[in-house]
Amino acid sequence: MVAALFSLHSYAPPPPKNTLQACFGASDHALSVTGSYRQKHLKKLAGPYAHLVRVAAQKAKVPAKLVAAVVYVENGGNFAGSAHRVSSAGAIGVMQLMPTTAWDVLRVDPWNAQENIEGGARYLAHLLNRFHGNVRRALMAYNAGPSCIAQGYRPQAAVQYAQRVLALVEDI
């Protein structure tokens, strides 16, 4: 657990763009015709959290559209009360962070929307690094836990989760 804390706080940047481009088809910039087009779709996916998502993604060096798609799927597109939402599994907030991950690993307050989104974006960056840029596996790990995915398990719910997020990313 201690090694996980140190590796998360000193994570290496995500893999080179071309690895992520293989999953997304192109860079963030190349996918949008104009900045306003990209902003509209980011607003559609992240709702009132679009600005926080953009800032957190930039800090974590992950595509904003990936973070926004996770926000959308985690909230089912319903942002009302999402900052204080608790899932049946106990995950908290906009990015549905598990309390132990939020407090002990990410060192964020999961009840604070900004910290929750920043922590979730950093966690995505960590998972992308851990799974060598494989976005699908990183998303499955975000949903089911990294140990489960690293051991080769592919829970159906995690597979479907990754498919929903990637479909939204590719739709932009």
Side-chain angles (χ1 to χ4, degrees), residues 1 31-32 44 47 55 57 78 101 111 120 128 138 140 148 155 170:
M1 184 65 155
L31 281 177
S32 67
K44 174 185 158 192
V55 170
N78 178 9
T101 302
W111 300 105
L128 285 165
M140 286 189 291
C148 174
E170 292 167 357

Side-chain angles (χ1 to χ4, degrees), residues 26-104:
S27 69
D28 267 347
H29 180 70
L31 281 177
S32 67
V33 177
T34 66
S36 64
Y37 174 82
R38 184 171 59 228
Q39 287 177 7
K40 283 182 189 175
H41 285 287
L42 202 61
K43 179 80 172 162
K44 174 185 158 192
L45 292 177
Y49 304 108
H51 177 72
L52 294 175
V53 164
R54 200 173 4 266
V55 170
Q58 186 176 17
K59 283 182 185 177
K61 296 182 174 99
V62 295
K65 62 186 173 183
L66 179 61
V67 178
V70 167
V71 167
Y72 187 88
V73 171
E74 289 292 353
N75 293 285
N78 178 9
F79 301 109
S82 60
H84 302 287
R85 186 173 293 142
V86 179
S87 75
S88 59
I92 301 169
V94 179
M95 294 199 66
Q96 290 291 284
L97 299 174
M98 292 303 287
T100 303
T101 302
W103 293 112
D104 298 341

Side-chain angles (χ1 to χ4, degrees), residues 155-171:
Q156 188 61 33
V159 171
Q160 291 171 346
Y161 174 85
Q163 288 171 339
R164 285 193 308 269
V165 172
L166 287 172
L168 289 170
V169 169
E170 292 167 357
D171 190 39

